[in-house]
Amino acid sequence: MPSAELKHMFRIAAPPEEVFAHLAEPSHYVGLSPLLVAVRDVRSSGGTVHYTAVERFRFLGVLRHDNIIDVTLVAVSDGLPQSAEISGEVRSPGRVRMSYRFTIDRHEAGCVVTDTLHLRTPPGLLRFAASQAGAVQQARARVLTARLARPA
């Protein structure tokens, strides 16, 4: 299957512990991505969280498609307070697969987050999936930074 890797780094003026706690909670992803509108059926098994997420796509401003995806999330806090990692897999209809990893590293008064996505799609879908995933990465950085901003 065709594949692509997307990586985006950004700084947040919040400690790694706070960023980690936010990203380790599935319900916090609603609104973190402009496509994600719901999280349901959250269940834990060992150190892994499984849940169902609903991505909402709009076409031509009128047509709506809800994409139901299966998500796994593994949160590893062993390196805190200096660093942590959250990773997992997304399985979407149409055989679109995405593995993801957030690395969170302490930096000055906050931290640096590296958001890495690895997409695998059937032929013909990679360009669309990569453009959507790249836009989500950019939006996620903006929203997460705003959510965890420290009051002046």
Side-chain angles (χ1 to χ4, degrees):
M1 287 200 321
S3 66
E5 184 173 279
L6 306 169
K7 187 178 281 194
H8 181 64
M9 293 177 67
F10 56 99
R11 290 184 183 181
I12 297 181
E17 301 90 337
E18 190 173 333
V19 176
F20 175 81
H22 196 79
L23 290 174
E25 172 54 50
S27 65
H28 291 166
Y29 286 85
V30 175
L32 198 55
S33 159
L35 300 175
L36 198 66
V37 297
V39 168
R40 59 185 186 226
D41 304 326
V42 178
R43 58 218 178 273
S44 294
S45 173
T48 302
V49 177
H50 302 272
Y51 62 95
T52 302
V54 180
E55 291 179 319
R56 181 160 292 150
F57 292 93
R58 294 212 180 264
F59 301 98
L60 306 172
V62 186
L63 301 174
R64 182 181 102 181
H65 172 70
D66 284 353
N67 191 38
I68 309 302
I69 58 178
D70 293 319
V71 182
T72 60
L73 183 151
V74 178
V76 180
S77 62
D78 295 350
L80 286 175
Q82 294 303 313
S83 65
E85 183 175 294
I86 294 175
S87 61
E89 180 81 19
V90 175
R91 294 181 166 273
S92 182
R95 295 183 28 230
V96 174
R97 303 292 180 260
M98 182 182 74
S99 57
Y100 65 91
R101 184 177 66 248
F102 299 106
T103 55
I104 307 159
D105 295 300
R106 185 171 298 286
H107 184 270
E108 296 173 358
C111 63
V112 173
V113 177
T114 304
D115 180 347
T116 305
L117 305 175
H118 184 83
L119 297 165
R120 295 173 312 283
T121 71
L125 287 179
L126 185 60
R127 183 177 294 201
F128 173 74
S131 71
Q132 292 294 311
V136 166
Q137 275 185 317
Q138 299 294 318
R140 182 169 35 241
R142 286 190 305 276
V143 172
L144 188 60
T145 300
R147 281 185 184 178
L148 300 180
R150 300 279 186 222

